[in-house]
Every structure is written in C-alpha cells, then in structure tokens.
Amino acid sequence: MSVDDLVRDHTRLMNVHTVLQHAAVASLACTGPRTIGPDQKQKQVEKSLSPNVVEPVQTTLSQLSITTLNKQTSPVDILPSIGPDVNDINASIVKRELDKECKRSVRYQLNLIKERQQKAINERFATQQKTEQQQLRVSNRAKREESDKLLQQQAEQLAKAELEAQQREQKALIKQNNQKLYLLTIEGVSRCHRRFCSKYELVTKLFLALDKETVQACAAHNAELRELGQLFDQLVEKLKKGSSDPPELSCVFTAEQYCQRLDRLDENLHKQLSEQQQQQLDKAKKLAEEKEKQRLLEVEEQQKQQEQKQQQLEAELKATADAAATAAAAAANVATTAATAQEAPTTEAPVTATVPASISTSYVHPTRLAFYNEINALYQSKVDAVKPLQTDEAWKKYRTNCQRTINLPLNAITATSAQHLKTNFDKLYNFFAGQPVRTTDGSTITINDHPLARDYCILLMAKKFVSQTDTAISSNPQAAFPFASVIVTFWKLLPDFGKIFLAYMYKESPYLVPYVIPQQPDQSPEQYLKTMGYRITENNELEKPDMFLKRQTGIARLYAAVIITPGRQADGPNHCFGLEEAWRWLTHIMLVKPLPDICATMIMEMLQTLGFELWRAYGRNFLKLLLYIQTAYMPQLSAYDEGGPKTRLEMLLSKFLRERQIPQAMGVLPPGFW
C-alpha cells in the first residue's frame, strides 16, 4: 500500500466524519425511518473506518443521540444549542482529538508503510543486488571460463606452433645430419672404390698376363674376383639411386671389407702362383721387351729405308727437273731451227718420256705385302679360333649380349665432351677388363664367362668400328676423330685389337696397304671387284661406283684419323700407328699400278685429312713429295684416269703448292682432350 493510498483514505475518513455530523443534526428533525443512531448498525462506517478511529465517533454520537432522546427536545430547541454549546466544544475537541488520532494513526500507518516499503525496497534492492551479483558471478564465471578456454586454446596453439617449430628444426637437423652422413658415406665409399678399382685393374691385368692353363687353375680366385666386382657395383648402384632413406655408415665398412677381401685375394693369388708361372711371366716380359726392341730396330730400319727412299725421290725429282730443263732447251732449239730454216722440215722424231715398266705393272711393294700377310694371318687365326663359340647354339644368348654390350657404348661415341667420350670408353674397357656388365634382359655377363669370348669380342668391336665408316663417317668427316681416339687407346691396351682392326680395314679397302690385287684367271669380274672392295647386294647386283667411292672415302678418313689422333692421355703419348705410316702409304701408292677414280680419291682424302701434320713434320721433303706427285705421278694417272676425282686432285695439288700450306682438317681432337 502506497502513501498516496493512505492520504486518500484519510481524506475519505474526514469526509465521512463531516457527513456523520450533519446526519446527526438532520436526524433530529427527520420523521422518517432513521438511518443512524445507537439502535442502528453502522455497517458502512465499520467497514470503512478502522476501530481506533470509529470508536470515539460512535461513542460521541451515541451519547449525543441518547441525551437528545432522553430530554425529548424538539428540533426547534436543539437548533439553537448546536452553536456555541458544550457539545460543539466537545465535538470540536473530539474532532481535534480525532484529527490528532487520525494523524497519529496515519503517521503510524505511514511509518509502518514506509518501513514495510523501505523493507520491501531493501529486500527488493537486496534481491536485485543479489540477483545482479549472481548474474555478475555467472557472467564473470562465463567470461572466466571463456577466457580460460581462449587462453587454453592460445596455449594449445602456441604449444602446437612451438612443437611444429621444434619438429621442423629437428627434421632440418636430421636432414642436415643425414646429408652430412650421406656425404661422408659417399666420400668413404668413393675412396674405397678408387682403391678397389686400382687393385681390381692390377689383378685383372695379372689374369690377362697368365696363360689359359694358369687361369683355369686360378678359377676360384677369378670367380671370387667377379663376385667382389658385382658386390661393389651393387653397393655403388645402391648409393647412386639416392633412395629416401639415408645411407648408413655400414656402407663404408662394407666397401672397406670388399677392399680388404680384394687385397687378400691378391695376396692369395700371388701365393698360389708357382715359380714356374713366375718364370713364364718373366719370359713373357722378356719376350715383350725383345719384341719391343725388335720393333724399334724395325722402326730404325724403316726410317733408314725411308731416308734412302727420300734420297731416291730427291734424285728422281732432280732427274725429272733436269729432263724438264733439257726438254725446254730442246724445244727452244727446235724453235730456233724452225725460225732459221723454214724450208727444210726436220726428220728427227719427237722425244717422248718413258715410264719404267716396274711402276706400271707392279701390284704391291714386298714390305707392304709381308705386313699385309702378317695382319691377315693373325685375323684368320682369330676367326678360326672363335668358331666353336660362334657356332654353338647354347651360347647364342651370350653372343647376343656381348654384341649389345659393345654396340651400345660404341654407337654413342662422339666428341661432345671429354667426359662423354671417357664414359663410353670406360664401359667398353671395363667389359674387356673382366668386370660384370648388366645386359638389357636383366642378366649379368663377363668376358671371362667363355675362354674364347675375348677374341670373339675383339673381332666384334674391330668390325663395328670399321662399319662406322659406312654409316657415320662417310657423311660426317669430323666423326672420324673421336672413333680414332678410342681405337688408338684400345690399340695401346690390346695390341691384337689394332692388328685385327687393320685387317678389317684392308679387307674393306686393300688400297690402304696399298695393294692392287691382281685378277686370277678363274675369277669373274664380279668376284674380282669384290676382292677389291666392291660389295654385292642380295640380288647379286654390283655396288654402284659413286656409292663405292663414298664408302672408300669414309674408310680413308678413319684410317688417316687413326694415324694423327692421340689416344687417352692416361695411357701415355706413344702411338702404335703414327705419322710414318702416312708417309709410307703416300710413297708406296706412287709405286703401284694406278687405277681410275679410286687412287685419286684416296690420295686426295689422305692429303686433306693429314696433309697439315705431314707438312709440319717433314717440311721440305713433303713439299718435294707433292711436287713429285704433280710432275711424275699425275701424268701416269692420266694414262688410266680422266674422271672427276683426278681433276679435283690436280686442282688440290695446285692449290697446296701455290699457297705453300695445307689447312688442318676440321674436327681434329686437341692433345690431352680426355
């Protein structure tokens, strides 16, 4: 209940009091039924007023009513006494008392109401404050939980980021350590591999120096050597693959074990060799030294013969020059005589130059014929020796794999770079050194798998090199020099290979001997031309002359390139087939029977390829040789040849003699190229 409600109740009570007073005065004159008085129940008053307030009024009214009724006064008498009467005074006193009481009651009620209201307000404020505190606590708790959750998330993210950073650092450190470990492993295995290869090459050369019986007696060591080579190759291939797992240091220990096993193998092999075998080796060395001495003696003898031939050539050139001077003088005399005596014709026959019959009818020089027969004998012995391997069907797959092993690196030989040339040479040489080679079908073969495999492979490789003249060199002259460099290197390491290579060259072109093979009485023209280098097709058709000359040009280029091209620098500067062979060929080609087209073609190709080196080495003597070719040989050639090659040769000689120089051939490998 509010204060406004209490004030309204108090005002209402005051109005009720005034009404009751007026009703009491009016009731004295009222004749009708009374509505108020002591005998009437004051229901409305009792309901509307509180007991404390109504009771005095009722008492006063009752007393007033009873007094008035007892006196039985008339309304007229009563009216004058209402004014300043005791009753009025009492009524006013009552009124004042009633007012005071009402005010006290109102104040009391107001105080109670205020107290209750204040209490309610306090309670409401306390409740609201409690509710707000609870809401604040709940909000703070939620915020705290959210903050804790956020802090936990941040802490987790920070911890995750730190963990990832640590993991990255750890991975980087592991990767760096693995890389260092890999480099250390590679370096260690590389050192062991160099040591292994050096020892392996020594042991292989030792096996190559032994005879077949001794090699068979040392078959167990040979098998162990191949096994060690395969194991080391597998270890190297494993490192080259670069798998995701870093190599272990155990690879270095494994490589070291292989090296130690090879050292023990070498020691055991030397222990196993008997004194007799050692004596045989000594004999072989002595024989090699004797052969070397004999070869040196032959070289000296050939140099002496060459000097004698040079002297003869100089004498012939001098005689030719004298004859030319004599002919010029005779022509001058004839002209003078004709001028002085025009009427009397001369009866003397003209002087004609005569050519010795030995030059026009010879086919080959005896020394060259002997060399040719020696080369052919060695070639034929090798061919006859490998027939069991070549005809055995059980070894057909092995023969095919040998051909592939040789053909693949040989076909890839170019002068692109020194490393490229060395890589392909190493593939060929490692196979001939006995190292295992993995074939295209996944199997592994070595040259020691069959006793005749070495000779068979030498024949294969020599034939393959010669076949390059028909495929690559005839159309690209510069391609001859990288092939020649590999051929010369193999010639140093395998002397038989060089002779077999020459045998194939002479078989394809006997003009390189030079040898004009005479026709036998029972030979047909086709068979004779075949012996002279022509080819017969499957349809029994003879090779066309232009194709024949093109192929012979390629053969001459390779032959000349072999003469002037150095081999691998690591095998020494010695040349097994040097520039003296070019001088020998040029001097001997002048002594054989001239043939149309082919002789001019071969001489021109030789001069273009190695004329620069011949001029630098022989100087004035080579210039005299060129003069002899121009003045003495070309007239002989003109008697048999009037074609384009002869004309081109004449122009080439004139150019060289006019310019007094010959340019170096394109594509010549520099010294120390690889």
Side-chain angles (χ1 to χ4, degrees):
M1 189 174 183
S2 63
V3 177
D4 295 334
D5 294 336
L6 293 175
V7 172
R8 282 194 298 270
D9 291 342
H10 178 68
T11 305
R12 193 179 297 112
L13 288 174
M14 294 299 295
N15 293 334
V16 170
H17 179 66
T18 304
V19 170
L20 288 176
Q21 287 181 352
H22 293 167
V25 174
S27 63
L28 295 178
C30 185
T31 59
R34 291 181 292 109
T35 58
I36 57 175
D39 58 347
Q40 294 295 326
K41 296 182 179 181
Q42 301 294 328
K43 295 181 181 180
Q44 296 296 332
V45 176
E46 293 176 358
K47 291 182 181 179
S48 60
L49 298 176
S50 61
N52 295 327
V53 177
V54 176
E55 186 177 354
V57 176
Q58 288 180 351
T59 303
T60 306
L61 291 176
S62 298
Q63 292 176 0
L64 180 60
S65 300
I66 292 171
T67 305
T68 307
L69 290 176
N70 289 330
K71 290 181 178 183
Q72 296 180 354
T73 56
S74 61
V76 179
D77 295 329
I78 294 175
L79 290 173
S81 59
I82 290 177
D85 193 7
V86 176
N87 292 330
D88 294 335
I89 295 171
N90 290 332
S92 62
I93 293 171
V94 169
K95 181 178 178 182
R96 283 196 299 271
E97 292 295 331
L98 183 60
D99 291 336
K100 292 180 181 179
E101 187 66 25
C102 287
K103 290 180 181 179
R104 282 197 301 272
S105 177
V106 169
R107 282 195 297 272
Y108 179 75
Q109 291 295 331
L110 287 174
N111 291 332
L112 290 176
I113 291 170
K114 286 181 179 179
E115 290 177 359
R116 286 195 299 270
Q117 188 175 9
Q118 188 66 32
K119 185 177 180 181
I121 291 172
N122 293 336
E123 291 177 355
R124 191 183 305 112
F125 179 75
T127 303
Q128 184 177 1
Q129 188 175 9
K130 185 177 181 180
T131 303
E132 290 178 355
Q133 290 177 355
Q134 290 179 354
Q135 292 178 353
L136 183 60
R137 283 196 296 272
V138 172
S139 176
N140 291 335
R141 188 183 298 110
K143 290 181 180 179
R144 189 165 55 253
E145 291 177 355
E146 185 177 359
S147 178
D148 293 341
K149 186 176 181 181
L150 182 61
L151 290 175
Q152 185 177 2
Q153 291 179 354
Q154 292 178 352
E156 291 177 354
Q157 292 178 355
L158 183 60
K160 185 177 180 181
E162 292 178 354
L163 181 61
E164 291 177 353
Q166 291 178 357
Q167 290 178 351
R168 286 195 299 270
E169 292 178 358
Q170 187 176 6
K171 288 181 179 179
L173 185 60
I174 292 174
K175 185 177 180 180
Q176 186 178 2
N177 292 334
N178 290 338
Q179 189 173 5
K180 291 182 180 179
L181 178 63
Y182 179 76
L183 294 176
L184 290 174
T185 305
I186 293 297
E187 184 179 359
V189 174
S190 178
R191 291 180 180 177
C192 293
H193 187 258
R194 288 193 294 270
R195 198 176 82 193
F196 183 87
C197 289
S198 178
K199 179 67 72 173
Y200 189 92
E201 187 174 356
L202 292 176
V203 177
T204 302
K205 288 183 178 179
L206 181 60
F207 271 110
L208 293 175
L210 299 175
D211 55 6
K212 294 182 179 180
E213 295 180 358
T214 308
V215 172
Q216 292 177 358
C218 300
H221 294 293
N222 195 6
E224 186 178 359
L225 180 65
R226 290 199 301 270
E227 181 184 0
L228 285 175
Q230 292 175 358
L231 291 174
F232 213 109
D233 288 341
Q234 291 175 2
L235 180 62
V236 173
E237 288 296 329
K238 179 181 177 182
L239 293 177
K240 284 183 178 179
K241 288 180 180 178
S243 58
S244 58
D245 297 331
E248 299 178 355
L249 287 175
S250 59
C251 295
V252 181
F253 300 124
T254 305
E256 182 64 29
Q257 290 177 0
Y258 292 158
C259 292
Q260 292 176 1
R261 286 181 58 185
L262 186 59
D263 292 338
R264 289 195 298 269
L265 174 64
D266 187 23
E267 293 176 1
N268 295 332
L269 182 61
H270 281 85
K271 289 179 182 179
Q272 188 177 354
L273 293 175
S274 62
E275 295 180 356
Q276 183 179 359
Q277 292 170 341
Q278 293 294 336
Q279 292 176 0
Q280 290 178 355
L281 290 176
D282 295 337
K283 290 180 180 179
K285 291 181 180 179
K286 291 180 180 179
L287 183 60
E289 292 176 357
E290 291 177 358
K291 287 184 178 180
E292 182 67 20
K293 291 180 180 179
Q294 185 177 0
R295 191 182 69 83
L296 293 175
L297 292 175
E298 290 178 356
V299 170
E300 292 178 358
E301 184 178 357
Q302 289 175 0
Q303 289 178 355
K304 291 180 181 179
Q305 293 178 359
Q306 183 178 354
E307 291 177 357
Q308 293 176 359
K309 289 178 182 179
Q310 289 178 2
Q311 293 175 0
Q312 292 176 1
L313 288 174
E314 291 177 0
E316 291 176 358
L317 288 173
K318 185 177 180 180
T320 304
D322 294 339
T326 303
N333 293 330
V334 170
T336 304
T337 304
T340 56
Q342 297 180 355
E343 296 180 357
T346 181
T347 60
E348 297 179 1
V351 179
T352 58
T354 59
V355 180
S358 60
I359 295 177
S360 62
T361 59
S362 63
Y363 297 100
V364 64
H365 193 273
T367 58
R368 301 306 296 169
L369 182 60
F371 181 70
Y372 175 74
N373 291 333
E374 178 187 354
I375 293 296
N376 272 345
L378 177 63
Y379 166 74
Q380 195 60 43
S381 64
K382 296 289 185 182
V383 172
D384 295 337
V386 300
K387 282 183 178 179
L389 173 60
Q390 197 168 7
T391 57
D392 193 351
E393 290 297 325
W395 291 87
K396 182 177 180 180
K397 183 178 179 181
Y398 177 75
R399 294 196 302 270
T400 303
N401 288 331
C402 288
Q403 292 176 5
R404 291 175 180 174
T405 303
I406 292 173
N407 290 342
L408 289 176
L410 194 148
N411 290 332
I413 290 175
T414 60
T416 304
S417 64
Q419 183 62 37
H420 178 77
L421 189 62
K422 182 179 181 301
T423 300
N424 290 297
F425 170 80
D426 288 341
K427 291 179 181 179
L428 289 171
Y429 180 71
N430 291 338
F431 176 64
F432 278 91
Q435 293 188 13
V437 176
R438 186 174 298 278
T439 60
T440 55
D441 58 358
S443 60
T444 303
I445 64 169
T446 65
I447 203 169
N448 299 323
D449 292 341
H450 195 280
L452 301 176
R454 181 175 299 278
D455 292 339
Y456 176 76
C457 292
I458 287 176
L459 289 168
L460 278 178
M461 186 167 65
K463 185 177 181 180
K464 184 64 178 176
F465 273 117
V466 176
S467 68
Q468 296 296 323
T469 61
D470 189 18
T471 56
I473 300 174
S474 60
S475 58
N476 182 17
Q478 299 182 20
F481 297 100
F483 285 110
S485 183
V486 175
I487 291 169
V488 171
T489 304
F490 269 108
W491 202 328
K492 295 179 183 180
L493 300 173
L494 303 173
D496 288 348
F497 164 76
K499 296 180 180 179
I500 298 300
F501 168 74
L502 285 180
Y504 274 108
M505 293 288 282
Y506 294 157
K507 182 180 178 182
E508 292 291 329
S509 179
Y511 311 101
L512 295 176
V513 177
Y515 183 20
V516 180
I517 302 175
Q519 184 176 3
Q520 300 298 325
D522 57 346
Q523 276 187 331
S524 64
E526 290 79 7
Q527 292 176 349
Y528 174 68
L529 291 175
K530 186 177 181 180
T531 60
M532 293 301 294
Y534 277 85
R535 289 182 179 177
I536 306 298
T537 63
E538 296 178 355
N539 299 329
N540 203 19
E541 294 180 357
L542 187 65
E543 186 178 19
K544 294 181 179 180
D546 56 342
M547 297 300 297
F548 170 73
L549 291 177
K550 182 179 180 181
R551 188 164 52 82
Q552 292 296 320
T553 301
I555 295 173
R557 285 172 184 168
L558 181 59
Y559 188 83
V562 169
I563 290 175
I564 64 173
T565 302
R568 187 175 61 173
Q569 189 177 11
D571 300 311
N574 295 330
H575 203 298
C576 303
F577 203 70
L579 197 61
E580 66 276 1
E581 292 294 331
W583 182 269
R584 187 178 294 116
W585 183 86
L586 281 172
T587 55
H588 282 85
I589 194 67
M590 306 299 157
L591 304 177
V592 299
K593 179 182 178 180
L595 293 179
D597 294 337
I598 183 63
C599 287
T601 300
M602 300 294 281
I603 293 173
M604 184 170 61
E605 190 60 41
M606 286 289 186
L607 291 177
Q608 287 178 334
T609 305
L610 44 75
F612 176 80
E613 283 76 12
L614 283 172
W615 199 316
R616 186 174 57 181
Y618 294 97
R620 291 179 58 84
N621 291 329
F622 179 67
L623 181 60
K624 293 177 181 179
L625 181 61
L626 291 180
L627 287 171
Y628 179 80
I629 295 173
Q630 185 182 38
T631 59
Y633 181 76
M634 292 306 295
Q636 298 175 23
L637 185 61
S638 299
Y640 300 93
D641 189 0
E642 291 295 338
K646 194 267 287 188
T647 305
R648 287 193 292 271
L649 178 59
E650 288 179 342
M651 296 174 62
L652 186 68
L653 286 170
S654 300
K655 180 177 180 293
F656 290 164
L657 293 173
R658 183 178 64 254
E659 296 178 355
R660 296 285 176 167
Q661 64 176 357
I662 299 178
Q664 189 176 23
M666 297 294 294
V668 176
L669 299 183
F673 177 74
W674 63 298

